[in-house]
Amino acid sequence: MRLSWKETNIFTSNSPEIQADVLVCGGGPAGVAAAVMAGRSGLKTILVEKNGFCGGAAVAGLSGTICGLYLTQCDIKNKQTKQIVYGFAEEFRAGLEKKHGLTKPQIYGNTHVNTFDPLIWREVADDMLEQANVNCLYHAFISQVDFRDNQIQAVKVESSAGSTVIKAKRYIDATGDATLIALAGLPYTRGNNGAVQNPTMMFRLSNVDEKAFYDVFGVDTICPAELAQKLTQAFETKTYNTPRNRVWVFPTPQPSVFLMNCTQLAGQHGEILNVLYPEERTYAEILGRRIAREYHRFFKDNVKGFENSLLIDMAAEVGVRQTRSIVGEECLTNDHVATCQKSTTAIAKSSWPIELHAGEVSKLHWLENDYYEVPYLTLVPKNTENIIVAGRCLCTEHEALASARVTAQCFEYGHAAAIASVLSLENNYAFKAIDVAKLQEKMKANGSALS
């Protein structure tokens, strides 16, 4: 279906506009899940995405892995994987696998991850959105929000064609940056008193000798201590600009192609970069490309198996872990995550560690042989009726987000936001007033693993 697109400059009662039941802003894992599940439920759904494809930080940022599907376990090398997150996350995982775009589970410290092909990720998303009758508007972004009487009345969307107004009955902010929330003038927080996690420039290398790689790394994708020590020495002697010594290297679905998570980007004096600001994000993008080249040079010169490697790909945009978090009806606290607390209103499980990429020393706290549950109301902004969020901008404390932000959980946040939209419209309830037991029942019917 082709949507009408007309120029309009202000919100007025007679402005040209597009009508929808649900508007999903952002096409990352949470946004794709939200749009697909809303569309399947028979709702007229529009997805607005700034890029020409879906995937967000997973694809444009080339994070390249599905994290958060599995239970963290002690002595993991001698144990089988235990998947604890299903639902839409499992459906998308299976879609990638069917198209040969996914690796088998790989050991990542005390848990497992799957690495995917970012091109196939886009194709799986396109297929699912089309089959769900979702109207996708790529190369478009939200510029203004009309928020009155605790509700979003309309949003203005910009593209090369000009501007138009979209009026929906329900709005899902899956931008990751809580863009809808901020433009509506609603409150939000940003990390630990403004300090957020560092961004990363991901890249891929080809022509790597796989046998030699495993001889160096073993079965774990986290670099061994000997390599970390070499990276430290290389940086201290100014032989290579490799400020981060703890790196991750992932085999991919393509033979001899490896995904490199090496860079941890900061400002000129080591300060945290606020990538919401264009000048700071621009600095991160340029610095990230330069440092990625340095890490490749280091690997070619110093790591067995990488002697003939080629740098074939860098992320289209720097990978962002954290910007804004909403002020929600409920907050996911650091203690809730660290002590693996459960919730009667859970919409997702997570056993992913608190993996805080911030400052000179990153924090890693494993949740071994257990998991926590994310409460539904962490997705619902305070003092609102027709807006819900999905993805990393849910209401969390700083360290809690370092666990709750990853891909598998974002898929399920989007799933929950879509089903909540259905229930909200069926009963004409505000999001905070829906029956969470019914939401959980519907999510379970869709395959989600909830208690």
Side-chain angles (χ1 to χ4, degrees):
M1 174 184 174
R2 184 172 178 177
L3 298 175
S4 166
W5 194 270
K6 298 180 181 179
E7 179 91 21
T8 182
N9 294 316
I10 56 173
F11 290 117
T12 64
S13 59
N14 60 358
S15 293
E17 63 189 38
I18 298 171
Q19 300 278 349
D21 293 320
V22 176
L23 174 62
V24 180
C25 300
V32 169
V36 169
M37 298 308 291
R40 283 182 187 171
S41 300
L43 300 179
K44 182 181 178 182
T45 304
I46 297 173
L47 172 66
V48 172
E49 164 57 41
K50 64 181 176 66
N51 292 313
F53 51 87
C54 284
V59 174
L62 203 61
S63 72
T65 56
I66 299 180
C67 301
L69 284 173
Y70 304 105
L71 181 70
T72 296
Q73 302 177 78
C74 301
D75 191 26
I76 198 164
K77 294 177 184 178
N78 299 312
K79 293 185 178 180
Q80 296 294 315
T81 58
K82 288 187 178 181
Q83 188 169 338
I84 61 170
V85 179
Y86 288 89
F88 189 88
E90 166 58 18
E91 183 179 352
F92 203 94
R93 187 211 63 79
L96 290 167
E97 185 176 60
K98 185 176 180 180
K99 287 180 175 285
H100 308 290
L102 192 74
T103 65
K104 298 294 183 183
Q106 303 171 28
I107 292 177
Y108 178 89
N110 294 334
T111 188
H112 292 87
V113 299
N114 304 86
T115 308
F116 59 79
D117 180 332
L119 298 180
I120 292 178
W121 204 108
R122 303 179 198 190
E123 294 165 14
V124 172
D126 286 340
D127 291 346
M128 295 177 79
L129 290 161
E130 185 176 40
Q131 291 160 11
N133 296 313
V134 176
N135 291 304
C136 293
L137 298 177
Y138 291 155
H139 301 292
F141 65 93
I142 306 300
S143 64
Q144 293 182 40
V145 174
D146 182 4
F147 182 79
R148 289 176 282 123
D149 302 322
N150 294 332
Q151 297 190 51
I152 292 181
Q153 308 294 329
V155 302
K156 183 184 282 189
V157 177
E158 310 287 347
S159 78
S160 296
S163 307
T164 198
V165 169
I166 299 179
K167 290 186 176 181
K169 297 173 184 175
R170 297 295 182 270
Y171 297 83
I172 300 177
D173 187 338
T175 61
D177 297 327
T179 301
L180 229 59
I181 298 298
L183 290 175
L186 293 165
Y188 58 84
T189 62
R190 193 171 69 83
N192 182 17
N193 297 317
V196 297
Q197 296 183 69
N198 295 82
T200 292
M201 177 60 75
M202 302 286 290
F203 59 99
R204 289 191 292 175
L205 302 180
S206 69
N207 206 33
V208 176
D209 183 327
E210 294 193 21
K211 182 181 182 304
F213 165 79
Y214 286 112
D215 287 343
V216 174
F217 271 71
V219 295
D220 199 336
T221 55
I222 301 176
C223 75
E226 296 85 355
L227 180 56
Q229 191 172 23
K230 281 186 179 180
L231 283 163
T232 299
Q233 184 178 13
F235 182 67
E236 290 177 348
T237 59
K238 299 183 179 180
T239 311
Y240 302 87
N241 189 9
T242 53
R244 184 189 201 181
N245 67 358
R246 187 176 176 86
V247 300
W248 294 259
V249 179
F250 302 95
T252 74
Q254 295 86 11
S256 302
V257 175
F258 283 70
L259 177 69
M260 313 294 289
N261 184 343
C262 300
T263 68
Q264 182 169 294
L265 306 175
Q268 294 181 4
H269 305 291
E271 70 273 16
I272 297 292
L273 294 169
N274 183 350
V275 293
L276 290 171
Y277 296 126
E279 63 273 24
E280 295 195 30
R281 189 159 191 161
T282 299
Y283 178 84
E285 302 280 8
I286 295 170
L287 176 66
R289 289 190 283 270
R290 290 173 177 164
I291 291 186
R293 286 283 179 190
E294 281 291 283
Y295 275 96
H296 178 222
R297 189 168 70 90
F298 171 88
F299 269 80
K300 277 179 70 73
D301 294 347
N302 297 279
V303 184
K304 185 180 176 183
F306 288 82
E307 299 91 342
N308 299 311
S309 63
L310 300 171
L311 201 165
I312 58 167
D313 193 18
M314 287 193 203
E317 60 185 38
V318 72
V320 177
R321 295 182 173 90
Q322 182 181 26
T323 52
R324 303 184 187 100
S325 297
I326 68 165
V327 175
E329 292 289 339
E330 189 169 348
C331 183
L332 183 69
T333 66
N334 299 337
D335 185 62
H336 182 109
V337 171
T339 59
C340 295
Q341 294 179 26
K342 311 303 186 283
S343 171
T344 57
T345 63
I347 45 84
K349 295 177 180 177
S350 179
S351 188
W352 192 253
I354 297 175
E355 188 184 38
L356 193 63
H357 300 262
E360 293 183 4
V361 181
S362 297
K363 176 176 180 176
L364 185 62
H365 174 79
W366 293 101
L367 312 178
E368 292 182 343
N369 301 309
D370 205 350
Y371 61 87
Y372 63 93
E373 294 177 326
V374 181
Y376 164 69
L377 287 175
T378 59
L379 306 183
V380 181
K382 272 192 175 180
N383 302 318
T384 64
E385 296 181 14
N386 68 343
I387 182 169
I388 191 169
V389 306
R392 69 168 188 258
C393 58
L394 78 163
C395 184
T396 67
E397 290 186 329
H398 181 52
E399 292 188 3
L401 183 63
S403 168
R405 63 179 175 79
V406 294
T407 310
Q409 283 63 42
C410 285
F411 277 134
E412 287 300 272
Y413 303 153
H415 182 181
I419 301 305
S421 298
V422 172
L423 294 173
S424 175
L425 286 168
E426 282 179 353
N427 300 285
N428 196 28
Y429 288 161
F431 277 114
K432 66 181 177 182
I434 69 163
D435 186 335
V436 179
K438 287 185 178 179
L439 182 150
Q440 292 170 320
E441 182 181 327
K442 287 181 177 289
M443 289 186 70
K444 288 178 187 178
N446 294 331
S448 293
L450 301 174
S451 302

